[in-house]
Amino acid sequence: MTPRPALLLRDARLAEGAEPVDLFIEDGVLTRAAPSGAGAPGSADGSTGVEVRHLDGRHVVPGLWDNHVHFTQWTLTRRRLTLESATSAAEVARLVGERVASRVDPDGMPVVGYGFRDALWPDVPTAALLDSVAESVPVVLVSGDVHSCWLNTAALRVFGYPSGEGASGLLREEDSFEIVRRLQEVAAPTVDRWAAEAATEAASRGVVGVVDMEMRWNLDDWVRRIGGGTVDLRVEFGTYRAELDRAIGMGLRSGQVVDGTDGLLTVGPFKVITDGSLNTRTAFCFDEYPGMGGSPDPKGLLTVPPDELVEAMSRATAGGLRCAVHAIGDHANRLALDAFEATGATGSVEHAQLLTEEDIPRFAALGVAASMQPDHALDDRDVADAYWTGRTHLAFPVASLLRSGARVVLGSDAPVSPLDPWITMAAAVWRTRHGLPAWHGEQAIDVAAALAASSRHAVTVGAPADLVVLDADPYTASIETFRSMPVAATLLGGRFTHDSL
């Protein structure tokens, strides 16, 4: 990182009930923490050659990371038709009809919506239903978990899928991912401008870094964005199976800093998606989903067979890449852990949503992190109660994993949940929102544990000065205040990326 001027933060509180201290930062590193009033080294009052900021007893916490995002999708989704609140296919069709009538989308461009969750709807999504409100305009609706897309007949034709009488319009898993990838084909200057806005907003919420799991070759995008001035975040970029040979051939290794990015861009994990999702009823489970006995996939979908998973993880590990394995169903999680054990790979299980009692201690034993998105528990609670009856005490078992000694890291999976760590942490601490009773409150964790799972280091001498200054006490805040936590400032390597002090 480029050297930064020395900075003194006066009267900062670092823990619950702690006395204020002064924090001295040099060259992007916290070099001293002393009782308030001690001043900067070499000066009586901390003013000589040092920028001084008075925090007046505000709490300072470590810079926050979102350990699982799809950044370009998040950037684009923020401009799409919102469908999260819809409770039926008919209601979605009404919203689409209103959007088409409003003419807010450019001529020739599809209407794109995001966020529908159809698992508990009383009616069925069909192409014909969307045709009834948008016959000639292509409509593409992406589910809240991104594992399915709902298209009308015009969109099916545009994207090359069978259309006509009897076409369902509902695409799942890889077909859905292909649609999502094609929806990202926006001119680079436009999407980069939107990405810069999203990064600035993330910094305003205390975010200093993201692990970007975007389903495309992401290295060039971030080199271009950082070179163009998007410097509010540290970024680790993931690589998928289609690009694994390319990454290995380039000699990319996890943790490697990418030249020309001022230390902001590093190589992240090798990502593999091995099953689907709960809302789409494709999470791979040991037991059949209720009412799906006649389905060709009554237990969900295993999208990568175990032998292929082991082979890919072995190649990635030999090439110096850690592994991030998407697993939501209990059987998918078992197979993911088996693959880590067979290969000796390092890394994480992404989501770790439904586990068995036997597999919980294996995370710590294998040194595999559980990369979890607790806000998904609140999205899925009703669906889980319907489809995982009797097992939901093992859904998002954050507390059980921590008690077992496992490393837990938190994220949003944006756009599935907002790229806002306070919303993520609130879900882990309270296991509820909207005033509902806590969902399996026995799996709740405390604020200190949530902060630790959302950061890379403590506020300690010798650590990078990635810091967040708060306008409320996170340890005593109500759930409402915590979710909307007022952030006074964010520092990345001692540089203010957000400043409202």
Side-chain angles (χ1 to χ4, degrees):
M1 297 289 291
T2 301
R4 308 293 174 195
L7 176 65
L8 177 63
L9 301 177
R10 283 199 178 278
D11 297 326
R13 296 184 191 274
L14 303 186
E16 184 175 9
E19 291 298 315
V21 297
D22 292 346
L23 304 177
F24 191 66
I25 297 165
E26 295 179 284
D27 295 333
V29 175
L30 179 59
T31 57
R32 187 182 186 212
S36 287
S43 71
D45 61 2
S47 60
T48 304
V50 178
E51 179 184 359
V52 180
R53 292 295 191 98
H54 295 273
L55 303 190
D56 301 321
R58 290 180 174 90
H59 280 80
V60 173
V61 299
L64 302 173
W65 277 74
D66 191 317
N67 290 286
H68 188 131
V69 305
H70 301 269
F71 203 87
T72 299
Q73 289 183 52
W74 169 243
T75 294
L76 297 174
T77 296
R78 286 151 45 94
R79 288 163 171 78
R80 292 172 175 169
L81 174 63
T82 300
L83 304 172
E84 283 93 340
S85 62
T87 57
S88 68
E91 184 178 355
V92 168
R94 178 182 61 78
L95 294 170
V96 169
E98 292 174 355
R99 178 75 168 222
V100 171
S102 71
R103 302 178 183 274
V104 299
D105 298 288
D107 289 341
M109 295 295 291
V111 171
V112 182
Y114 173 78
F116 77 88
R117 296 177 182 275
D118 63 319
L120 300 177
W121 284 355
D123 48 4
V124 178
T126 64
L129 182 58
L130 293 180
D131 291 346
S132 68
V133 296
E135 183 175 3
S136 59
V137 178
V139 176
V140 180
L141 309 178
V142 183
S143 67
D145 56 23
V146 196
H147 284 255
S148 62
C149 286
W150 177 14
L151 285 67
N152 70 347
T153 299
L156 289 169
R157 293 194 191 103
V158 167
F159 288 95
Y161 286 87
S163 59
E165 187 175 354
S168 72
L170 200 62
L171 306 177
R172 303 191 306 167
E173 300 306 327
E174 189 53 45
D175 285 336
S176 176
F177 298 153
E178 178 60 24
I179 296 291
V180 169
R181 281 189 284 266
R182 292 176 64 179
L183 290 174
Q184 293 181 34
E185 295 171 0
V186 178
T190 298
V191 75
D192 287 354
R193 183 175 71 254
W194 294 344
E197 294 171 2
T200 298
E201 182 175 321
S204 76
R205 303 302 298 139
V207 179
V208 298
V210 298
V211 181
D212 190 3
M213 301 290 195
E214 197 58 78
M215 292 185 285
R216 56 181 284 150
W217 179 249
N218 230 359
L219 170 61
D220 299 337
D221 291 341
W222 280 109
V223 169
R224 185 182 68 247
R225 290 170 184 169
I226 292 170
T230 300
V231 294
D232 288 341
L233 300 175
R234 303 185 190 276
V235 179
E236 295 181 359
F237 70 94
T239 299
Y240 283 73
R241 284 205 295 168
E243 303 290 353
L244 178 57
D245 289 338
R246 181 180 184 179
I248 292 173
M250 292 176 63
L252 300 180
R253 305 177 71 86
S254 294
Q256 173 187 342
V257 177
V258 177
D259 292 340
T261 64
D262 204 16
L264 293 175
L265 183 63
T266 59
V267 180
F270 165 60
K271 173 76 180 294
V272 188
I273 299 175
T274 65
D275 74 337
S277 71
L278 177 58
N279 176 73
T280 309
R281 281 82 73 205
T282 49
F284 190 59
C285 297
F286 285 110
D287 299 320
E288 291 186 0
Y289 288 92
M292 292 185 62
S295 165
D297 304 298
K299 298 181 180 181
L301 284 172
L302 186 66
T303 55
V304 179
D307 57 342
E308 290 185 20
L309 179 60
V310 167
E311 187 276 333
M313 291 175 64
S314 296
R315 282 198 297 128
T317 300
L321 297 171
R322 73 176 187 271
C323 297
V325 181
H326 164 118
I328 289 184
D330 51 3
H331 199 170
N333 274 278
R334 171 76 54 82
L335 295 173
L337 292 168
D338 289 348
F340 274 104
E341 186 170 11
T343 61
T346 61
S348 58
V349 173
E350 298 297 317
H351 309 303
Q353 183 165 340
L354 181 66
L355 302 177
T356 63
E357 295 279 8
E358 296 83 359
D359 283 330
I360 286 176
R362 296 181 69 196
F363 283 83
L366 294 170
V368 175
S371 178
M372 307 182 79
Q373 300 76 39
D375 196 49
H376 293 4
L378 310 182
D379 289 330
D380 284 353
R381 60 186 293 172
D382 293 339
V383 181
D385 285 339
Y387 289 108
W388 283 342
T389 304
R391 294 170 289 166
T392 52
H393 64 292
L394 294 170
F396 298 95
V398 185
S400 292
L401 283 162
L402 286 175
R403 283 194 298 269
S404 76
R407 176 172 173 252
V408 174
V409 297
L410 301 182
S412 66
D413 200 12
V416 181
S417 288
L419 203 172
D420 187 329
W422 300 99
I423 291 175
T424 295
M425 290 188 289
V429 172
W430 280 276
R431 301 278 295 200
T432 187
R433 63 179 179 225
H434 305 318
L436 295 172
W439 193 62
H440 291 291
E442 73 277 5
Q443 291 296 346
I445 61 176
D446 62 24
V447 169
L451 286 167
S454 302
S455 55
R456 295 293 175 93
H457 53 76
V459 182
T460 185
V461 172
D466 292 357
L467 306 171
V468 187
V469 183
L470 306 175
D471 271 331
D473 183 344
Y475 302 100
T476 61
S478 67
I479 182 174
E480 292 80 10
T481 299
F482 194 95
R483 279 176 58 88
S484 59
M485 177 62 65
V487 175
T490 305
L491 293 90
L492 190 158
R495 169 173 59 87
F496 284 92
T497 55
H498 169 69
D499 186 3
S500 62
L501 285 170

